[in-house]
Amino acid sequence: MKKIFIIAVVGLLFSCNSVAQKKENDSKKQETFKVTKTNAEWKKLLSPEAFYVLRKAGTERAFTSPYNKNYKEGTYHCAGCNTPLFKSKHKFDSGTGWPSFDREIEGNVSFSTDYDLGYARTEEHCATCGGHLGHVFTDGPRKTTGKRHCINGVALKFVPEE
């Protein structure tokens, strides 16, 4: 009986999320942004796919975004609030199926920690409206920043350079 109790306690300890993880995820939801709308307002403004990604932290299927192979000069803006987020000169083909950049426009992207898959990932949001953009990883080009901002194309709007 004592062995069963010890095994149950050990199993319980390893299967629970920590309080720190819970607080970090909750604090992300409490952050305030310059542009705020109700879900109904966002649904009127965004396509169903963009709403799912930007407002529900979803992920579009790999290789479905026309921006994945877009090599024109310009700036990628938030599809929700039009904040400039990434420049085309920092875009590269990562082979992952999502538009990838080695850096963001400083101050226009905010970061939080996401534990949705059971381990820590750095999640990216539009710093103006809080829309979910994607994640940043450390397997990007070594000659520049070493970062790969893996972004959902549906969360972006491309503005060509004039």
Side-chain angles (χ1 to χ4, degrees), residues 39-88:
N39 277 340
E41 290 171 321
W42 283 119
K43 282 182 179 181
K44 285 181 184 176
L45 180 68
L46 302 169
S47 70
E49 296 83 10
F51 180 81
Y52 170 68
V53 169
L54 285 164
R55 307 318 310 169
K56 298 297 180 184
T59 302
E60 69 184 356
R61 282 191 354 244
F63 301 101
T64 59
S65 172
Y67 296 144
N68 187 40
K69 297 291 183 179
N70 180 32
Y71 299 108
K72 298 175 184 168
E73 290 188 25
T75 306
Y76 292 85
H77 291 230
C78 175
C81 69
N82 205 33
T83 297
L85 304 170
F86 303 96
K87 294 184 179 184
S88 61

Side-chain angles (χ1 to χ4, degrees), residues 46-159:
L46 302 169
S47 70
E49 296 83 10
F51 180 81
Y52 170 68
V53 169
L54 285 164
R55 307 318 310 169
K56 298 297 180 184
T59 302
E60 69 184 356
R61 282 191 354 244
F63 301 101
T64 59
S65 172
Y67 296 144
N68 187 40
K69 297 291 183 179
N70 180 32
Y71 299 108
K72 298 175 184 168
E73 290 188 25
T75 306
Y76 292 85
H77 291 230
C78 175
C81 69
N82 205 33
T83 297
L85 304 170
F86 303 96
K87 294 184 179 184
S88 61
K89 67 182 178 182
H90 300 133
K91 188 174 184 294
F92 68 98
D93 186 357
S94 66
T96 61
W98 288 279
S100 298
F101 305 86
D102 70 355
R103 70 197 77 180
E104 77 282 5
I105 295 176
E106 197 147 335
N108 291 357
V109 175
S110 64
F111 303 91
S112 64
T113 304
D114 161 6
Y115 292 96
D116 291 347
L117 297 180
Y119 60 92
R121 297 185 299 168
T122 303
E123 186 175 359
E124 297 185 71
H125 307 272
C126 172
T128 304
C129 72
H132 169 78
L133 303 171
H135 294 85
V136 63
F137 302 98
T138 58
D139 61 356
R142 297 283 174 228
K143 292 180 181 178
T144 59
T145 64
K147 293 183 180 180
R148 173 174 54 96
H149 296 261
C150 187
I151 307 300
N152 291 283
V154 73
L156 302 172
K157 177 173 73 171
F158 181 70
V159 178

Side-chain angles (χ1 to χ4, degrees), residues 23-36:
K23 283 182 182 176
E24 189 158 357
N25 284 340
D26 289 347
S27 68
K28 176 177 68 174
K29 292 174 185 163
Q30 294 171 359
E31 192 174 347
T32 56
F33 298 96
K34 293 177 198 170
V35 173
T36 57

